[in-house]
Amino acid sequence: MTGAAAVAATLAAYDVDTVFGIPGTHNLALYEALSSHGMRLITPRHEQGAGYAADGYARISGRPGVVLTTTGPGILNAAAAAGQAYSDSIPLLLISPGVPTTHPRRSTGYLHETKNQSAAMDAVCAWSHRVTTVAEIPSALAVAFTFFAGGRPRPVHIEIPADLLDAPGDFSVPVRGSLPEAAAALAGARRVGIILGGGARKAGTAALHLAETLNALVVTTINGTGTLPPTHHRNLGPGLFLKSTQTWLNTCDVVLAVGTELAPSDLWTDFTYEGTLIRIDVDPAQTTASTIPIVARAEAALPALAALVVDAVSGADLRERVPMVGLSEEHTGEVSVAGPSGEPVGEGPIRRVSAHPASGEVTPDLVAVIQQISEERAALSSRWYPELAAIAEALPDEAVIAADNSMFCYYGALATLKNRFLFPTGFGTLGYALPAAIGAKIADPDLPVMVLAGDGALQFTVQELATAVELGQNLPIVVSLNGGYGEIRAEMRARPMPEVAVDLHAPDFVKLAEAFGARGIAHPADLTGEIGKAFAADVPTVIVIQEQT
């Protein structure tokens, strides 16, 4: 068996059926071997797009995304996507050839020669490993898949010397910690808050059961969106960055945080919780700063914890102790909101974009909490209110939103919409949304997926429209025009300093879409209707909206 055949056979043994990448001189043997196993080979227009597409595929499918590049510039082009996957705990396997085993590891003019590409990828991945024999290839890949299954998932890179490609030759993390202690703390608490991160994705039912039993509200991180039904009355959606959410959490005598770093990129401030903190996380390092640490996968720990809590306090008993009221859908007032850099980003009258339904029961004190959080959300997103309301109306509950690092997304959509988001937190790359959406649609072709991006971010990977057209994907792509890098422009004003290098010429996105073979429409009078048409189309649709200033 050749080295390339060993790669293909091992990937097939781990049920890999889709690989993202671009063929090149040094990886042709790999493409030949993968083809012989009937794998689907997706060809984006740039290796960064391949990495983002594999990222989106992994987030939706729950399986590692696999990226295959060529040597040197090919794998380095995918480094930004690897860094993003590292930040967001996404299982990404990047495979590339390297210089031959006989190469002297100094500059000789070898094609795509790189001083040390494994070291370069090691800097942005969990780890990078260069194999030295054909026999080592299956075990190296097995280590990667064991790493994905057994701990916090992050990207890894396997480098295979080019001359080895043609040369012949389930682990789970146990629950550790005191579940009975955690159950006793939750059952005895006056007020409980629940935070769900991306690691809680498979434990939504148990989390909701706990919330109902304990009369608790649930806030998610950005990566945790979609864990609970978007319209459920206990689901506050993503909003750890809101001051009102942090104020509420500090009124809770017990907070349960599941599968989240509680990272600065989630919090936007130096928020400190002073009460009893129960943390459930697969990564032991994430549980150190907690009162009751439980090292476990959420899907293993939460159902067991819920059963213990139910034994201590039933939902019926709780309802007998405190009266229930319906939720108010409308609330008005005045509020000013600051962004992560301290600059004001929203102020003025409150207008409801997506409120909790009146049906459902919560205690009266929580109604005030929900209203305060709704007020701050509305102020934060007021600049895009009509568009966000129209988008919310067009989206089914199961829809997934691939969003970019654009003001329209993190101040607007993330503050109002509760559907599942694919979003590049932490590492904060631009150009993520479109290729990630492509990967998500490949993982589940029947899933409604839409793209939200600003004009600056979309131009990083707008060429992937060609890939989406080629695949016949019905992606609504809503692009908000603000003439450049709006967040950086706002930070320049806040310093204050002259506004330099942030104003960008935007192309005619409608004509650009049509040039790629997609549909395009600018400033539609009926945005909801156009999104609906886009979901029903057989090619992607670029919908241009103008940001209000």
Side-chain angles (χ1 to χ4, degrees), residues 96-343:
S96 74
V99 294
T101 55
T102 56
H103 191 272
R105 305 309 293 269
R106 57 183 174 81
S107 181
T108 63
Y110 184 82
L111 180 64
H112 299 329
E113 182 181 82
T114 307
K115 180 181 177 183
N116 192 337
Q117 70 179 29
S118 187
M121 295 306 294
D122 188 71
V124 292
C125 292
W127 48 266
S128 174
H129 178 71
R130 175 179 163 94
V131 303
T132 56
T133 65
V134 172
E136 186 187 1
I137 291 172
S139 61
L141 291 170
V143 169
F145 281 96
T146 301
F147 171 80
F148 293 147
R152 181 175 181 175
R154 274 177 160 159
V156 300
H157 171 238
I158 304 292
E159 177 181 331
I160 305 172
D163 58 330
L164 297 186
L165 295 177
D166 285 315
D170 182 358
F171 176 84
S172 61
V173 178
V175 174
R176 297 194 299 270
S178 178
L179 284 174
E181 182 185 3
L186 290 168
R190 176 187 57 85
R191 177 182 281 186
V192 172
I194 299 176
I195 304 171
L196 301 181
R201 176 74 53 202
K202 297 180 181 178
T205 300
L208 188 56
H209 187 33
L210 268 173
E212 294 284 7
T213 301
L214 296 168
N215 186 40
L217 298 178
V218 181
V219 63
T220 69
T221 66
I222 294 168
N223 285 333
T225 58
T227 302
L228 300 184
T231 56
H232 197 280
H233 58 280
R234 295 189 182 277
N235 181 12
L236 296 173
L240 278 178
F241 50 84
L242 299 173
K243 291 181 180 179
S244 51
T245 301
Q246 296 171 6
T247 298
W248 159 66
L249 287 171
N250 264 323
T251 68
C252 298
D253 42 349
V254 177
V255 167
L256 171 64
V258 185
T260 172
E261 297 173 292
L262 298 179
S265 57
D266 290 316
L267 296 167
W268 290 11
T269 63
D270 296 326
F271 169 67
T272 301
Y273 172 66
E274 304 294 343
T276 298
L277 178 61
I278 303 169
R279 294 190 72 169
I280 299 176
D281 203 283
V282 72
D283 184 356
Q286 296 298 329
T287 65
T288 54
S290 57
T291 312
I292 304 174
I294 299 172
V295 179
R297 290 193 179 278
E299 59 268 31
L302 271 187
L305 180 60
L308 290 171
V309 170
V310 168
D311 285 344
V313 53
S314 70
D317 291 340
L318 187 65
R319 284 193 292 270
E320 288 173 3
R321 289 203 301 270
V322 283
M324 301 292 175
V325 298
L327 296 177
S328 169
E329 287 198 349
E330 300 287 349
H331 194 78
T332 58
E334 297 285 336
V335 69
S336 178
V337 181
S341 302
E343 74 283 1

Side-chain angles (χ1 to χ4, degrees), residues 279-478:
R279 294 190 72 169
I280 299 176
D281 203 283
V282 72
D283 184 356
Q286 296 298 329
T287 65
T288 54
S290 57
T291 312
I292 304 174
I294 299 172
V295 179
R297 290 193 179 278
E299 59 268 31
L302 271 187
L305 180 60
L308 290 171
V309 170
V310 168
D311 285 344
V313 53
S314 70
D317 291 340
L318 187 65
R319 284 193 292 270
E320 288 173 3
R321 289 203 301 270
V322 283
M324 301 292 175
V325 298
L327 296 177
S328 169
E329 287 198 349
E330 300 287 349
H331 194 78
T332 58
E334 297 285 336
V335 69
S336 178
V337 181
S341 302
E343 74 283 1
V345 296
E347 59 184 344
I350 303 308
R351 295 174 292 185
R352 181 176 63 87
V353 174
S354 178
H356 295 279
S359 60
E361 296 177 335
V362 294
T363 52
D365 61 322
L366 294 185
V367 173
V369 171
I370 292 167
Q371 289 177 338
Q372 290 165 3
I373 293 173
S374 295
E375 288 178 8
E376 190 175 355
R377 286 187 186 280
L380 194 63
S381 61
S382 60
R383 188 185 307 179
W384 305 275
Y385 168 76
E387 293 80 10
L388 290 168
I391 291 169
E393 188 176 347
L395 289 179
D397 284 357
E398 69 273 17
V400 170
I401 302 168
D404 234 306
N405 254 307
S406 306
M407 300 177 78
F408 168 55
C409 299
Y410 48 78
Y411 291 142
L414 287 168
T416 55
L417 305 176
K418 297 179 185 176
N419 293 76
R420 182 173 181 185
F421 276 88
L422 308 183
F423 185 76
T425 57
F427 200 53
T429 56
L430 289 170
Y432 171 85
L434 177 54
I438 292 171
K441 286 292 287 185
I442 290 171
D444 186 349
D446 296 326
L447 185 69
V449 180
M450 80 175 304
V451 175
L452 300 180
D455 50 354
L458 183 62
Q459 290 183 73
F460 272 65
T461 50
V462 71
Q463 71 274 9
E464 300 304 342
L465 272 173
T467 307
V469 169
E470 186 175 86
L471 295 169
Q473 294 184 333
N474 54 337
L475 297 172
I477 303 166
V478 179

Side-chain angles (χ1 to χ4, degrees), residues 1-16:
M1 180 179 288
T2 65
V7 171
T10 306
L11 293 180
Y14 281 99
D15 296 323
V16 173

Side-chain angles (χ1 to χ4, degrees), residues 82-96:
Q84 187 60 62
Y86 183 95
S87 179
D88 283 355
S89 303
I90 304 302
L92 213 62
L93 174 60
L94 300 103
I95 301 172
S96 74

